[in-house]
Amino acid sequence: MGFLGYGICGLWDFWDLWGERDFGALPPPAEYVVRHWQDDAFFGAQFLSGVNPVLLRRCSRLPHNLALTPHMVAASVGPGTSLQKEMEEGRVFVADYALLWDLPVGQIGGEAQHVAAPLCLLWVSPTAQLLPIAIQVLPHNLPAP
């Protein structure tokens, strides 16, 4: 079955199976990606080395369209601090893809396709890793397509 034949749950199974393959023929960077695509630190690094790092903005207050409370991410930022303190100290960033909302992307097999408009909150850890602490696929104040 091809990549497009998997539903969203099946897609994770596909990548899990892919990760169990023997990577003798792959170049080291490709092997690394397959082995680490689910790691938070790798996810954060992709924002900096990916196609659009300028989308990251320092976050001094929670975006109005993010359905999140500081309590929800308290464990992610660790003990002895808070989301508010981390925002005040400039260690929280946001990537907001709201501009993708309701973008016409065509059809596959006669069915309309949709693009997610994720909002991602990232935090610079004490070890200087950019880590995701919250990902919201659709803006909470907009209806799903």
Side-chain angles (χ1 to χ4, degrees), residues 32 39-42 44-45 48 91 93 122-132:
Y32 185 86
D39 296 350
D40 285 346
F42 184 71
L48 299 177
R91 289 192 289 268
F93 295 82
L122 299 116
W123 167 67
V124 179
S125 74
T127 60
Q129 291 181 306
L130 185 65
L131 303 174

Side-chain angles (χ1 to χ4, degrees), residues 40 43 47 56 59 62-63 66-74 76-77 83 92-97 118-123 130-137:
D40 285 346
F43 180 88
F47 271 97
L56 281 175
C59 183
L62 289 177
L66 179 62
L68 177 92
T69 64
H71 177 72
M72 294 171 162
V73 297
S76 296
V77 296
L83 180 59
V92 177
F93 295 82
V94 65
D96 187 351
Y97 289 86
L119 186 68
C120 183
L121 208 58
L122 299 116
W123 167 67
L130 185 65
L131 303 174
I133 56 175
I135 301 172
Q136 180 175 283
V137 177

Side-chain angles (χ1 to χ4, degrees), residues 65-67 101 115-119 135-145:
N65 58 340
L66 179 62
W101 179 250
V115 175
L119 186 68
I135 301 172
Q136 180 175 283
V137 177
L138 298 173
H140 87 283
N141 57 346
L142 296 174

Side-chain angles (χ1 to χ4, degrees), residues 20-65:
E20 295 172 5
R21 292 189 44 176
D22 176 19
F23 293 107
L26 285 177
E31 180 179 348
Y32 185 86
V33 169
V34 171
R35 300 237 185 260
H36 296 279
W37 72 274
Q38 291 181 324
D39 296 350
D40 285 346
F42 184 71
F43 180 88
Q46 291 304 297
F47 271 97
L48 299 177
S49 64
V51 296
N52 199 2
V54 297
L55 188 63
L56 281 175
R57 301 279 182 248
R58 182 164 278 137
C59 183
S60 57
R61 59 182 159 75
L62 289 177
H64 71 282
N65 58 340

Side-chain angles (χ1 to χ4, degrees), residues 12-25:
W12 302 127
D13 294 337
F14 173 84
W15 284 111
D16 287 342
L17 291 172
W18 181 256
E20 295 172 5
R21 292 189 44 176
D22 176 19
F23 293 107

